[in-house]
Amino acid sequence: MSSVAGSFKLMKSLNRTLVLNSIRINGAIPRSEIAKETKLTAATVTNIVNELISEELVLETKPGISSGGRKPILLTINSKSRYVFGIDVGVNKIRFAIADLEAKIVVKETEKIFHPLNNEDFLELLTSKLQIMFKNFGEKKSKIVGIGIAMHGIVDNKNGVALLAPTLKLKNIPIKTVLEKEFGIPVRIENDAKTLALGEEWYGHGQSVKDLVCLNIGEGIGAGIILNHKLFHGNDNSAGEIGHTIIDINGPKCSCGNYGCFQSLASGHALKESALREISLGRTTLLREKCHDKLENIDGLLIYQCALKGDSLSVELLQKTGRYIGIGIVNIIHFLNPPLIIIGGGVSRAKEFILPSIYEVIDAKSITPNNTQVVVSKLGEDGSLIGAFTLVLSELFNSINSSLS
Ligand SMILES: [Zn+2]
């Protein structure tokens, strides 16, 4: 067993998990408060804290003097004692980043994906970039304890296999096996919407609830469902494929072959298609000027930028997208009634245009008054990367049921 694997094994004790998370969540806390919070004896807390300090996971602050007497020593997470890799696999690019134990990014790089590619090309792309980044991390590379990967499509998270990655046109990529063999550290893979949901639960808006649904609205639409603090995967790992729930049987054809799927009406791709349709019908819009008459350059970001400049077509298109997202959200509320729904992904950037329409539809179409809070992701552009770090960090900090070794 490697020393890193050993350090994970050592953490597999409920009391250690309680103490470690008490320090992590509070930021800085004296031993006496940990004992109160965890209901452990002072002696147990002292023993565990000593162990955590010797493993360099926890740091002590120097005591100061206050008017009320001696200040207690505070304990904090030694955030630079370990690092994790996070990888976010997009449609045309892969983002690689290294973060500390507080999920703070210390290195971030991007690689382009050149289509078409096969499984071997894809794995070679991951491996060669990781090798370079490990090398460039110098002496600290031995402190990297795991690799978390956010991947679109259907992922078998237990075996670490990307079962179906539609935009890369790839199937059954054995990512975990290949990367663990190459780098000798644990590798975790999860669908990108589920990864985002986990990131929100740990570091974003989801920290105070036990159930939430996180929508990832970009080129497609996926959802991560967290029930009782656990990601829900379903029988065949396809839970959360809300983008392919049908909301208009007479709607446009979806990439899956069906008609009127949620994502064929409310995704970034649908937004672009609607813009192109209106322009082809002769609608005047700032979009035409801003894309320099290259209509293929119109995307969600450009539509948002034109909406900010007051372009009426762009504003209308975003409001319409908001109404469709609202319908998808009403379906989630009726089906699961979660306390919190978080909207992430590129489309969420246009929140000032989509949120009012979303709230209107929820008010109009919910069958009962509900208290579900609907908000935009707190993690922003780096949401999927932060989620990818969390795949590893959540096991490190919650290792009672962990298989991370
Ligand atoms: Zn579909």
Side-chain angles (χ1 to χ4, degrees):
M1 188 190 293
S2 72
S3 62
V4 169
S7 75
F8 279 120
K9 288 278 183 205
L10 277 172
M11 293 170 77
K12 286 182 183 175
S13 121
L14 175 59
N15 291 348
R16 275 177 60 102
T17 302
L18 285 174
V19 172
L20 193 53
N21 278 298
S22 171
I23 300 168
R24 180 182 72 80
I25 290 162
N26 286 287
I29 185 170
R31 285 173 174 79
S32 56
E33 281 298 313
I34 298 174
K36 253 191 236 167
E37 206 174 78
T38 60
K39 300 192 172 57
L40 294 171
T41 65
T44 305
V45 170
T46 300
N47 282 339
I48 293 171
V49 166
N50 287 344
E51 227 174 85
L52 295 171
I53 290 172
S54 74
E55 287 163 34
E56 299 180 336
L57 270 168
V58 164
L59 282 177
E60 279 182 318
T61 60
K62 295 266 178 288
I65 305 293
S66 72
S67 55
R70 199 159 163 259
K71 281 184 185 168
I73 296 172
L74 298 178
L75 299 163
T76 60
I77 293 294
N78 184 5
S79 61
K80 305 289 183 216
S81 66
R82 311 278 197 284
Y83 294 89
V84 293
F85 249 113
I87 301 175
D88 175 27
V89 181
V91 178
N92 294 309
K93 61 183 184 186
I94 306 178
R95 295 191 300 158
F96 296 79
I98 302 174
D100 66 16
L101 288 185
E102 288 174 308
K104 297 230 164 61
I105 294 174
V106 292
V107 180
K108 186 160 78 169
E109 294 184 19
T110 302
E111 280 292 301
K112 268 192 169 171
I113 301 174
F114 293 98
H115 300 270
L117 77 174
N118 60 29
N119 284 5
E120 285 68 37
D121 300 333
F122 177 73
L123 289 165
E124 170 59 27
L125 183 59
L126 290 184
T127 308
S128 55
K129 185 67 184 178
L130 282 168
Q131 278 165 344
I132 294 168
M133 289 181 74
F134 262 103
K135 188 161 169 266
N136 292 344
F137 211 47
E139 284 173 11
K140 288 184 291 184
K141 70 181 174 198
S142 62
K143 292 182 173 184
I144 298 175
V145 296
I147 302 169
I149 303 174
M151 183 84 197
H152 69 275
I154 312 286
V155 173
D156 171 355
N157 70 306
K158 287 204 178 73
N159 296 306
V161 177
L163 296 174
L164 179 67
T167 61
L168 298 177
K169 298 187 173 64
L170 299 179
K171 281 181 182 171
N172 301 319
I173 322 169
I175 301 177
K176 178 182 160 80
T177 309
V178 170
L179 295 188
E180 285 191 345
K181 191 172 170 213
E182 179 68 34
F183 298 102
I185 54 174
V187 175
R188 297 291 177 262
I189 304 155
E190 189 58 271
N191 161 274
D192 53 3
K194 292 185 176 74
T195 308
L196 185 62
L198 195 64
E200 282 290 336
E201 198 213 358
W202 276 65
Y203 299 103
H205 286 305
Q207 294 178 58
S208 57
V209 294
K210 64 184 179 54
D211 307 320
L212 67 88
V213 175
C214 181
L215 282 173
N216 191 16
I217 309 183
E219 281 298 292
I221 302 180
I225 304 163
I226 290 181
L227 299 176
N228 205 12
H229 299 293
K230 283 205 165 103
L231 273 173
F232 180 71
H233 289 90
N235 194 47
D236 303 300
N237 297 299
S238 65
E241 284 296 326
I242 191 166
H244 299 291
T245 53
I246 295 167
I247 61 174
D248 178 1
I249 54 170
N250 299 311
K253 192 168 186 183
C254 178
S255 59
C256 72
N258 292 328
Y259 288 85
C261 292
F262 181 32
Q263 78 174 35
S264 73
L265 292 158
S267 64
H269 180 72
L271 188 59
K272 175 180 179 166
E273 292 293 308
S274 297
L276 294 180
R277 206 163 38 245
E278 291 295 327
I279 291 170
S280 74
L281 292 172
R283 183 86 186 256
T284 49
T285 167
L286 189 60
L287 284 168
R288 193 184 269 282
E289 180 193 320
K290 292 287 174 191
C291 74
H292 308 291
D293 270 333
K294 287 188 179 145
L295 298 183
E296 69 274 14
N297 288 345
I298 291 177
D299 60 8
L301 180 59
L302 191 67
I303 294 170
Y304 174 51
Q305 286 165 343
C306 287
L308 286 175
K309 289 190 187 318
D311 179 56
S312 60
L313 175 64
S314 299
V315 171
E316 264 174 46
L317 291 170
L318 288 170
Q319 287 171 338
K320 189 171 86 171
T321 298
R323 287 195 293 277
Y324 279 123
I325 295 172
I327 290 170
I329 287 177
V330 168
N331 289 341
I332 297 172
I333 292 171
H334 289 161
F335 191 64
L336 275 179
N337 189 214
L340 177 65
I341 296 175
I342 300 168
I343 307 168
V347 172
S348 67
R349 243 189 313 229
K351 58 176 183 278
E352 62 267 59
F353 298 104
I354 60 168
L355 278 178
S357 307
I358 291 172
Y359 295 146
E360 244 171 59
V361 172
I362 295 172
D363 282 346
K365 298 201 181 293
S366 295
I367 50 166
T368 55
N370 68 78
N371 296 307
T372 297
Q373 216 195 335
V374 179
V375 295
V376 161
S377 167
K378 191 180 177 182
L379 305 179
E381 301 274 299
D382 290 325
S384 293
L385 272 178
I386 292 168
F389 306 137
T390 314
L391 292 173
V392 179
L393 293 175
S394 62
E395 287 194 33
L396 179 66
F397 285 109
N398 267 353
S399 51
I400 180 81
N401 291 318
S402 161
S403 57
L404 192 64
S405 58

